[in-house]
Amino acid sequence: MKLPHHPSTTIFSFIFILLLASSISSQTCQRSCGKLPLKFPFGSGLGCGDPRFHQYVSCSQDNLMFTMHTGSYPVTNIDYTNKVMYISDPSMSTCSCTQPSKGFGLDWDAPFSFQDDNIFALLDCTTSSSPIFQSNTLYTDKNNNSKVSLCDNEGTSICSFLYSCRAISTINLPISTCCVYTPVDLGPAFDMDLQKLQCSSYSGFYSFNERQSDPNSWKYGIALKYKFSVNNEYPNSCANCERSTGICGYYSGGAYSSFLCNCPNGINTTNDCYFGANYNYGSRLSSWQIGTWLFYCLACLLISVC
């Protein structure tokens, strides 16, 4: 006796297989974003890495991006040993290009701070009214003029080297103008508002590359230190996970995020990928479960078609 054919059964079976397949391929954390390797605390998407960093560092179309209230910036490199991330600002002026910029800032509650090697140089500032040249009785220059309160006078040589660049030399400024911004951390607000400072652009670099007198060789960009705990010690749970070829992640389904280790076979565990811990069955099916479900679904689909 031949079973009656029900078109709705075929449709539901087909939809179920598609939904199952999509759930299988959407929960794996990636080990890299483009050419940059990804390690804790950074992740390739939701549920990967440290949840406190997800809103600031994300992978979009194989490009790792750093986002603050002042904009989004490409991540050029990450030094995981020293916990330093390097970014570039497309609106920043360099020795080869001068362009207007709105400045740069860090969110006050972000787990990042400026590395000590950062140097910011303000360009094309209004010397008559810019706040960086406002009077300050606590400081006087060699001509006994009370000026230059937010600008480092000892950085004159750096300014001179910058002005030797063809692109920057087009700015109508005297070489003797102080340009190195003194608050390395950009003040208590961690913000460099060029509009308030009455400057049209800025340049930033974190290394002279052993050639201080050659601004073409400087490493332009911004170096940021990151911190993922009070003592900034690498979490043992994450270290164990990575030693077992897993990727550190988290479960964000409730009010609080809990640690998960994302394993190569797709299973999330609460410890490592040596299968000595509890599984989080709700987040991912095992390979044999996936095969079994697909087999039964395919069998049902074939029966309904016959």
Side-chain angles (χ1 to χ4, degrees), residues 83-115:
K83 303 179 182 66
V84 179
M85 182 175 67
Y86 299 92
I87 66 172
S88 62
D89 182 356
S91 69
M92 176 190 295
S93 293
T94 65
C95 195
S96 60
C97 179
T98 303
Q99 54 190 339
S101 174
K102 294 181 179 179
F104 179 82
L106 291 178
D107 294 354
W108 68 270
D109 56 346
F112 298 91
S113 61
F114 292 99
Q115 190 189 38

Side-chain angles (χ1 to χ4, degrees), residues 25-296:
S25 62
S26 63
Q27 296 179 355
T28 302
C29 297
Q30 303 299 316
R31 299 183 182 276
S32 64
C33 179
K35 296 181 179 180
L36 292 178
L38 289 178
K39 298 181 181 180
F40 188 84
F42 307 113
S44 59
L46 189 65
C48 306
D50 189 317
R52 294 170 296 177
F53 288 80
H54 176 70
Q55 62 177 315
Y56 304 113
V57 180
S58 59
C59 184
S60 176
Q61 298 180 343
D62 286 337
N63 294 312
L64 198 61
M65 303 298 295
F66 176 73
T67 302
M68 290 283 114
H69 65 278
T70 52
S72 295
Y73 311 91
V75 178
T76 56
N77 192 24
I78 302 177
D79 182 349
Y80 289 101
T81 302
N82 296 308
K83 303 179 182 66
V84 179
M85 182 175 67
Y86 299 92
I87 66 172
S88 62
D89 182 356
S91 69
M92 176 190 295
S93 293
T94 65
C95 195
S96 60
C97 179
T98 303
Q99 54 190 339
S101 174
K102 294 181 179 179
F104 179 82
L106 291 178
D107 294 354
W108 68 270
D109 56 346
F112 298 91
S113 61
F114 292 99
Q115 190 189 38
D116 295 338
D117 294 335
N118 281 303
I119 295 178
F120 294 107
L122 305 180
L123 303 174
D124 198 14
C125 303
T126 306
T127 57
S128 59
S129 58
S130 174
I132 67 172
F133 298 111
Q134 286 181 352
S135 299
N136 186 343
T137 55
L138 296 178
Y139 181 88
T140 57
D141 59 19
K142 60 182 181 181
N143 296 323
N144 205 29
N145 295 321
S146 300
K147 282 191 173 184
V148 196
S149 58
L150 295 176
C151 186
D152 187 0
N153 239 357
E154 295 182 0
T156 302
S157 60
I158 295 177
C159 302
S160 300
F161 294 138
L162 278 175
Y163 294 142
S164 68
C165 299
R166 179 180 296 274
I168 298 179
S169 64
T170 60
I171 300 176
N172 187 22
L173 284 178
I175 293 179
S176 59
T177 298
C178 183
C179 72
V180 176
Y181 197 41
T182 299
V184 177
D185 289 334
L186 307 185
F190 302 103
D191 203 359
M192 178 171 50
D193 190 335
L194 294 186
Q195 185 175 3
K196 290 183 179 179
L197 293 172
Q198 298 183 30
C199 304
S200 69
S201 184
Y202 82 102
S203 182
F205 51 94
Y206 51 86
S207 173
F208 290 114
N209 203 22
E210 299 182 354
R211 301 177 67 179
Q212 184 170 348
S213 61
D214 182 11
N216 286 290
S217 301
W218 297 352
K219 293 184 178 180
Y220 292 92
I222 301 173
L224 300 170
K225 296 182 293 185
Y226 60 87
K227 190 173 184 179
F228 41 73
S229 66
V230 176
N231 297 323
N232 213 22
E233 296 178 352
Y234 208 74
N236 290 329
S237 57
C238 186
N240 293 333
C241 173
E242 292 179 339
R243 276 195 294 266
S244 65
T245 69
I247 300 177
C248 303
Y250 61 94
Y251 173 69
S252 58
Y256 300 96
S257 299
S258 57
F259 172 80
L260 287 179
C261 182
N262 186 253
C263 300
N265 61 0
I267 297 177
N268 288 335
T269 77
T270 57
N271 192 357
D272 55 42
C273 296
Y274 292 134
F275 309 113
N278 297 324
Y279 298 111
N280 183 356
Y281 290 104
S283 61
R284 193 78 186 267
L285 296 174
S286 64
S287 57
W288 68 268
Q289 287 175 315
I290 292 172
T292 303
W293 274 105
L294 286 177
F295 175 80
Y296 281 120

